[in-house]
Amino acid sequence: AIIVALWFRDWAAVQSTGDNGEQVIFMVDWHVLGWAFAASLVTALVFGIAPALFALRLNVNDTLKSGGRGATGSRGHQRFRQILIIGQFAFALVLLAGAGLFIRGLDDLNDRRSGWEATQLVTGNMLLPAKKYSDAEKITAFHRLAVERLASLPGVASVSISSFTPFFDWPDTRKFFVEGRERPEPGHEPAAGVNSVSPQYFNTVTTPLLSGRAFNGRDTATSAKVFVISQTTAKGLFGNDDPIGRRLAQAESENLRWGEIVGVVSDVRAVVEKPSPVIYQIYQPMAQEPRAQSEIAVRTNGVTPSSVVESIRTAMAALDQDLPVRKLQPAETTIARTIYGLAILRNILAAFAVLGLGLASLGIYGVIARTMAQRAGEFAIRFALGASVENITRMVLASGAKLALVGSTIGLLGAFGVSRLLAAGFPGMRINGAVILLGATLLLITIALVACWLPARRAGRIDAMSLLRAE
């Protein structure tokens, strides 16, 4: 166990290494190991002394008279063994189902592609220095030049600049008024996440345009203000009416500046969603609200995303050698590193689940194998009276399956509670419990039947005549 603990420490340190080389330090605390060692000794002593205490309570005369028939112990002893097996199965199912639910939810997060596509995409973020890019015109000019340079690189299909990528939550939330409607009370205005984007943004991240038009080069700081809204926003604000041509204004602004809705796009869902009541999404042209801090996205065509990372970095350095582009890497890498902490937890839970499954399997095999050995005389009498190997095997399997079913039923209650805890702790994760719980239960029952079948097979090979002579 100590060797495994040391190995786990090194493995977890590698798995938790972040973008800048930082990692979670897993200390091997000898005080903890000492406590675990003492707990193991106490457990061994307690469960070793318990049978001895049962033996002290035996009635010597009755036991000698019963011969081998009393080898399996009294009903109290048998009931205690059954409780132990049922408990093992219940806890094993909780661990197995919990790990399965978490792994399934994490895979769902990693595979979620609602309204965007991360394959063939390179992303990075940059912050323009305030001294050099002191006004909106300079920021807009740099953005335009950066898009042109990057779009001319070999293997690049499209380029965009935006405030945020669609993979994660947008922290910029604003309240809006709808033209032609009564102003809601303060604090009750509809709120939406706002993303400022360049004209090719929707093509670059592959967010489908459902109606109207996307932004173009004519949407500048001096032109009329325009918006593109998401499908849910259109449905929530305008119902079944066509939102194209309707106007919105930011509620927090002292002088309301109305903007026309020119397009509707699909909703985007973040990889890791934060619990928030805001479900509306609104886009505005980057040129109409340029930002010094922004994200670049480059979609490749015919080449791997990693192969163009250095050429992108070189092109950006040629524009401004003092401007670093941070976290410039394939989008899939960015997503994986963002949720790597959850991946570590998933692997740890999976390891605990396998451990629990192994303990449950060994436990039921050990107890049933020992019980079958003690019942060898009984089986010999059954064989002498005409019982077949199939009869003995069926009897042993039935007893093991009964314990497995009872343990699994109790474990299902605990597993359901774990699924509720996971859903509450990770609200962005879809916990599809029915299939996982059913699969874990069937797996555990199958292992129980295998663990029962091995002793049953051995019981079917006993020499009935030899055992009866010994009796």
Side-chain angles (χ1 to χ4, degrees):
I2 293 175
I3 293 174
V4 172
L6 294 174
W7 172 83
F8 172 81
R9 176 198 61 185
D10 298 336
W11 171 82
V14 173
Q15 292 293 315
S16 64
T17 302
D19 294 336
N20 299 321
E22 76 280 4
Q23 59 183 211
V24 179
I25 303 301
F26 292 87
M27 296 294 294
V28 177
D29 192 327
W30 294 101
H31 294 89
V32 175
L33 289 180
W35 178 89
F37 182 67
S40 301
L41 286 180
V42 171
T43 302
L45 289 174
V46 169
F47 283 88
I49 291 174
L53 295 177
F54 283 134
L56 293 177
R57 297 170 56 187
L58 290 176
N59 187 305
V60 179
N61 291 327
D62 292 342
T63 303
L64 291 176
K65 290 177 182 178
S66 63
R69 295 190 299 274
T72 57
S74 65
R75 288 186 178 181
H77 300 168
Q78 296 175 19
R79 190 177 301 112
F80 181 68
R81 284 195 296 265
Q82 292 173 353
I83 291 175
L84 290 179
I85 296 175
I86 290 172
Q88 281 184 318
F89 267 92
F91 284 117
L93 183 59
V94 171
L95 281 173
L96 192 63
L101 290 170
F102 196 85
I103 292 172
R104 173 67 182 85
L106 188 62
D107 289 340
D108 173 69
L109 286 179
N110 196 32
D111 295 336
R112 188 176 295 173
R113 296 293 185 269
S114 178
W116 50 270
E117 182 57 57
T119 57
Q120 297 299 117
L121 197 65
V122 177
T123 59
N125 59 70
M126 58 185 179
L127 176 61
L128 301 180
K131 291 184 178 180
K132 191 171 183 179
Y133 303 92
S134 56
D135 55 44
E137 291 183 2
K138 292 181 180 179
I139 295 175
T140 300
F142 179 85
H143 286 169
R144 182 173 59 253
L145 187 58
V147 169
E148 292 174 356
R149 291 286 182 89
L150 295 178
S152 65
L153 294 177
V156 172
S158 63
V159 180
S160 71
I161 294 179
S162 59
S163 300
F164 314 105
T165 57
F167 322 133
F168 311 113
D169 280 331
W170 304 348
D172 186 4
T173 302
R174 306 182 191 181
K175 297 178 180 179
F176 288 86
F177 292 136
V178 178
E179 187 181 39
R181 293 186 181 175
E182 183 179 353
R183 300 283 175 85
E185 297 180 3
H188 293 79
E189 304 91 343
V194 179
N195 195 358
S196 299
V197 302
S198 63
Q200 290 298 317
Y201 172 83
F202 299 116
N203 286 335
T204 303
V205 300
T206 65
T207 299
L209 179 66
L210 303 180
S211 64
R213 68 172 179 88
F215 302 133
N216 54 46
R218 294 187 297 275
D219 298 318
T220 64
T222 58
S223 64
K225 191 170 182 62
V226 291
F227 294 112
V228 170
I229 64 176
S230 68
Q231 187 176 15
T232 296
T233 308
K235 185 71 174 177
L237 295 181
F238 305 104
N240 295 325
D241 296 337
D242 186 3
I244 304 300
R246 302 293 293 270
R247 300 209 301 170
L248 303 174
Q250 186 175 329
E252 290 88 348
S253 177
E254 295 182 1
N255 299 319
L256 295 182
R257 185 184 177 189
W258 295 97
E260 181 182 351
I261 299 173
V262 296
V264 178
V265 295
S266 294
D267 298 329
V268 299
R269 297 194 63 180
V271 174
V272 180
E273 294 179 320
K274 297 179 181 178
S276 172
V278 178
I279 59 174
Y280 294 159
Q281 298 164 347
I282 294 178
Y283 302 85
Q284 61 184 6
M286 178 67 79
Q288 294 186 350
E289 192 176 315
R291 300 188 178 187
Q293 184 170 358
S294 58
E295 301 269 351
I296 63 172
V298 178
R299 179 161 296 280
T300 62
N301 184 21
V303 297
T304 59
S306 57
S307 65
V308 300
V309 170
E310 286 306 317
S311 59
I312 294 173
R313 195 183 304 278
T314 301
M316 295 300 292
L319 292 175
D320 188 339
Q321 61 181 0
D322 297 326
L323 177 65
V325 180
R326 295 169 296 183
K327 295 185 179 181
L328 185 63
Q329 58 194 3
E332 295 282 7
T333 302
T334 301
I335 295 171
R337 290 184 176 179
T338 300
I339 62 176
Y340 80 95
L342 296 177
I344 294 174
L345 182 57
R346 174 196 64 182
N347 294 338
I348 292 174
L349 284 175
F352 281 138
V354 173
L355 179 62
L357 186 63
L359 290 175
S361 304
L362 289 174
I364 190 170
Y365 171 77
V367 174
I368 291 181
R370 176 60 177 166
T371 303
M372 294 306 103
Q374 293 173 330
R375 296 177 63 185
E378 173 194 341
F379 293 151
I381 295 176
R382 290 179 181 274
F383 280 132
L385 294 176
S388 64
V389 174
E390 290 76 13
N391 296 139
I392 300 299
T393 302
R394 190 181 305 112
M395 181 177 63
V396 176
L397 289 177
S399 62
K402 179 181 178 181
L403 296 177
L405 286 173
V406 174
S408 299
T409 301
I410 298 174
L412 280 174
L413 299 177
F416 180 77
V418 169
S419 68
R420 296 302 92 197
L421 288 176
L422 287 175
F426 303 92
M429 186 182 293
R430 286 196 290 263
I431 305 297
N432 185 10
V435 176
I436 298 297
L437 293 179
L438 179 61
T441 303
L442 292 177
L443 175 61
L444 210 56
I445 292 176
T446 300
I447 291 177
L449 292 177
V450 173
C452 294
W453 177 75
L454 294 175
R457 182 185 179 190
R458 189 177 297 112
R461 295 178 177 178
I462 63 175
D463 187 344
M465 296 305 298
S466 298
L467 283 173
L468 290 176
R469 290 194 187 101
E471 287 287 326

